[in-house]
Amino acid sequence: MSILTNRLKVNFHIDIIERDFVFIRLKRDKNSKWWGAEELDRIIGEDYKAMSVGYAQYAYAMFDKKSNNTYTLLQKLRTDPKFASVSAIEVKPQAVYTGNDECICEVTLARLLINSLGSSRSKFKYLHFSNLTGALLKVPLLTNKLYDAIGVAEITLSRDESQKNEFLLKVSVASYRKKVSILKEYKGTAELKKILKRPEYVFHSGTATLRRWLPSDGKETDPTKSYIQCGKQGKKLHTNFLEFESIDKLEKSRAGILFQLFNSIQEYLSEYISANFSILEIDHSIELKNTLLKSPKQLHSKLEGQAIHIVDKVNDENSTNLVITLKEFLLPYITDEKLITVGKRDKENTLNFIIIHDAEFYETNGQKDEYLPSTDRFQRQHLTIESTKNVFKPIVKTIIKEQLIKRDISSRTLNLFDWAKLQLKGIWTFAAWDEDTDHVILWKFNPMVILSFTK
């Protein structure tokens, strides 16, 4: 048995890379950090027209060799007042580091090549990747009607210390919010000054995406039309790894973005690199043939005596019809019709199915998002009216399963599988990394099927 990993195995075609590109390394005089540095966006602007830019200990820029004379390019950088605190030298591409410090190699070289898919100089603009401030971003297509907050995906490539030419490919999503909203929410806080030091981006109608605002652009930005990376206080932006609801949602999921990026690498960069996801061989596996979540009869037994509550927070004709349909499709899974109730607020120790609007609706109308996470006391499953106006039996079956999983987690039990048939022994431990707290969360269960969570 084997599984695909997020480790990208890369082989460089160095002769072809050196034939087509020039690489410039930029070093700060004071060795300060490059995150957010204005030079990263100046060098891909109209003055220099770099194909891509990225940074690690140093910053690097990639140029089209046919359009640039290396000597002239270096002289221009060395005499430019905007790059006065930066020293620039040409570096040569290499597959691996061999002790020559004046080279670009391994993960840094791969990052520059992949970032070229999103450069303002790239011929692949319709792919809608953006190489902003040294990072490769996936910015949603924008229109003149700008939302208060947008989710922007960042694709990162980092070194895998265990393998020479295998790099860890990751997609994370962050909130970028209008400056006017940030000023209002963080007014009078010490945090506001720090946030306003971050890079600021403005809508570019020509590419329907964002570009970096720089002081040389002249007048201050319109705070109703500029964005800064910043989340809402007390809220975390969550993007599912994989979505099946529609093609559009699949493409916006983290797996969908990885798929688009990988296809773009194969189609447009294959002349320069050969890239494939690394395969992990599994030495031992246990096949789970029998679950308790397949047939309505099995689910019926798990829902025996369980109260179900439908909450309608939309209150229009569509949501009223959805309540009626949802109740109808839930009936085959319960033991008593009276266990299903309908109301305006969720209930404790009940499986709550809550009808709300999607996040885009609340952002567009300036209303508070009514999504609430589940807790040990409240199990919540949300249905957005925009995506589930027509609910189907498979959808209802799926959300019942999700509710049962939430119920098990809150009660620290695991009743969804017949673990005895697997003849498991000892305590089994699963681990997950929590990025928000920089902790590893350990999930343990024993043959008595009692769960525990520790950090």
Side-chain angles (χ1 to χ4, degrees):
M1 180 181 174
S2 61
I3 58 173
L4 281 176
T5 71
N6 67 324
R7 293 208 316 259
L8 194 67
K9 189 172 184 178
V10 176
N11 290 315
F12 298 99
H13 308 158
I14 295 298
D15 291 344
I16 308 299
I17 294 171
E18 195 165 9
R19 180 196 69 189
D20 290 354
F21 304 121
V22 173
F23 295 91
I24 302 298
R25 187 183 77 188
L26 305 173
K27 181 181 178 182
R28 285 180 177 277
D29 292 341
K30 297 181 181 180
N31 290 323
S32 55
K33 293 182 179 180
W34 279 98
W35 189 91
E38 292 182 7
E39 293 92 341
L40 297 172
D41 292 289
R42 290 190 188 282
I43 206 162
I44 59 173
E46 290 300 317
D47 290 343
Y48 289 93
K49 301 180 180 180
M51 292 188 68
S52 67
V53 64
Y55 64 91
Q57 180 182 0
Y58 307 113
Y60 296 85
M62 185 175 86
F63 295 86
D64 178 12
K65 183 172 277 189
K66 293 179 181 178
S67 306
N68 289 276
N69 177 280
T70 306
Y71 176 79
T72 304
L73 181 61
L74 288 170
Q75 286 299 107
K76 184 178 180 180
L77 281 166
R78 290 165 180 168
T79 56
D80 189 340
K82 296 184 177 76
F83 287 83
S85 62
V86 172
S87 59
I89 64 168
E90 181 186 7
V91 289
K92 296 295 184 179
Q94 293 180 186
V96 295
Y97 179 68
T98 59
N100 175 19
D101 288 338
E102 295 186 1
C103 77
I104 179 171
C105 61
E106 299 179 11
V107 69
T108 308
L109 178 57
R111 191 181 294 131
L112 263 288
L113 290 165
I114 292 174
N115 281 4
S116 70
L117 294 170
S119 167
S120 60
R121 298 294 127 204
S122 173
K123 60 184 177 182
F124 316 125
K125 292 179 183 178
Y126 61 90
L127 296 173
H128 309 305
F129 290 104
S130 300
N131 185 198
L132 293 173
T133 320
L136 184 63
L137 306 178
K138 183 73 163 57
V139 181
L141 278 177
L142 302 175
T143 65
N144 290 322
K145 183 180 179 181
L146 300 176
Y147 294 120
D148 179 68
I150 56 174
V152 175
E154 179 176 353
I155 298 98
T156 57
L157 199 66
S158 58
R159 186 189 309 275
D160 183 351
E161 299 295 343
S162 64
Q163 302 289 337
K164 274 288 183 184
N165 278 354
E166 291 190 8
F167 313 120
L168 299 174
L169 189 61
K170 179 184 174 184
V171 175
S172 57
V173 181
S175 285
Y176 282 62
R177 299 176 59 200
K178 284 184 180 178
K179 186 176 180 180
V180 65
S181 299
I182 296 171
L183 292 171
K184 181 180 179 181
E185 182 176 343
Y186 288 87
K187 183 179 180 180
T189 68
E191 190 69 18
L192 179 60
K193 190 175 181 179
K194 296 178 183 178
I195 295 171
L196 295 180
K197 288 182 179 179
R198 297 173 185 173
E200 189 172 348
Y201 302 95
V202 293
F203 173 61
H204 188 275
S205 57
T207 57
T209 186
L210 300 178
R211 69 169 181 84
R212 175 81 177 270
W213 176 85
L214 297 169
S216 58
D217 290 341
K219 62 181 181 179
E220 290 286 326
T221 60
D222 180 346
T224 66
K225 295 181 180 179
S226 66
Y227 287 89
I228 298 173
Q229 183 180 338
C230 178
K232 293 183 179 180
Q233 296 186 78
K235 286 202 171 185
K236 176 186 175 184
L237 178 66
H238 174 74
T239 302
N240 288 333
F241 180 74
L242 190 60
E243 286 276 8
F244 293 104
E245 193 172 306
S246 66
I247 295 295
D248 180 60
K249 290 198 172 185
L250 172 63
E251 290 177 345
K252 291 178 180 177
S253 70
R254 287 179 288 142
I257 293 169
L258 279 176
F259 179 72
Q260 293 170 61
L261 179 70
F262 183 72
N263 282 347
S264 298
I265 292 171
Q266 298 291 346
E267 187 169 357
Y268 303 113
L269 297 178
S270 59
E271 190 175 4
Y272 307 107
I273 56 175
S274 300
N276 284 290
F277 286 111
S278 181
I279 294 174
L280 178 65
E281 297 294 337
I282 306 299
D283 296 328
H284 180 64
S285 62
I286 300 174
E287 186 176 0
L288 187 61
K289 294 181 179 180
N290 299 309
T291 73
L292 302 179
L293 296 177
K294 287 187 176 180
S295 68
K297 183 178 179 181
Q298 290 171 320
L299 290 170
H300 188 279
S301 67
K302 289 297 173 184
L303 287 169
E304 185 174 359
Q306 173 65 61
I308 293 175
H309 189 56
I310 302 173
V311 181
D312 182 4
K313 289 185 175 290
V314 174
N315 297 313
D316 65 10
E317 184 179 350
N318 288 326
S319 65
T320 300
N321 291 334
L322 180 56
V323 169
I324 294 170
T325 306
L326 182 58
K327 186 174 181 180
E328 178 187 341
F329 287 168
L330 285 169
L331 286 175
Y333 297 99
I334 61 171
T335 55
D336 186 349
E337 185 178 351
K338 294 179 181 178
L339 290 169
I340 301 179
T341 56
V342 179
K344 301 298 181 184
R345 300 181 63 181
D346 48 5
K347 295 181 178 180
E348 286 189 46
N349 304 315
T350 300
L351 303 185
N352 294 284
F353 294 90
I354 306 172
I355 302 169
I356 60 173
H357 287 289
D358 61 16
E360 186 175 305
F361 172 89
Y362 294 113
E363 290 171 6
T364 303
N365 293 279
Q367 297 179 18
K368 183 179 179 182
D369 195 329
E370 297 193 84
Y371 173 88
L372 290 172
S374 291
T375 67
D376 286 349
R377 292 165 52 201
F378 291 91
Q379 284 79 56
R380 300 182 176 104
Q381 184 66 36
H382 295 82
L383 296 89
T384 59
I385 192 66
E386 288 78 8
S387 61
T388 51
K389 288 180 181 177
N390 298 312
V391 68
F392 301 102
K393 291 181 180 179
I395 294 176
V396 173
K397 184 178 179 181
T398 298
I399 60 178
I400 288 174
K401 292 178 183 179
E402 292 177 358
Q403 282 280 41
L404 289 174
I405 292 170
K406 292 173 183 177
R407 187 182 70 178
D408 273 6
I409 291 173
S410 67
S411 63
R412 302 298 189 267
T413 59
L414 194 59
N415 298 309
L416 305 177
F417 302 95
D418 189 351
W419 296 105
K421 290 186 178 181
L422 296 176
Q423 298 180 347
L424 299 179
K425 296 179 181 179
I427 295 176
W428 286 64
T429 303
F430 296 87
W433 178 254
D434 186 344
E435 292 183 352
D436 291 336
T437 60
D438 283 343
H439 282 99
V440 174
I441 296 177
L442 300 178
W443 169 41
K444 299 181 180 181
F445 72 90
N446 60 25
M448 299 299 293
V449 200
I450 298 174
L451 303 181
S452 66
F453 297 88
T454 57
K455 289 186 178 180

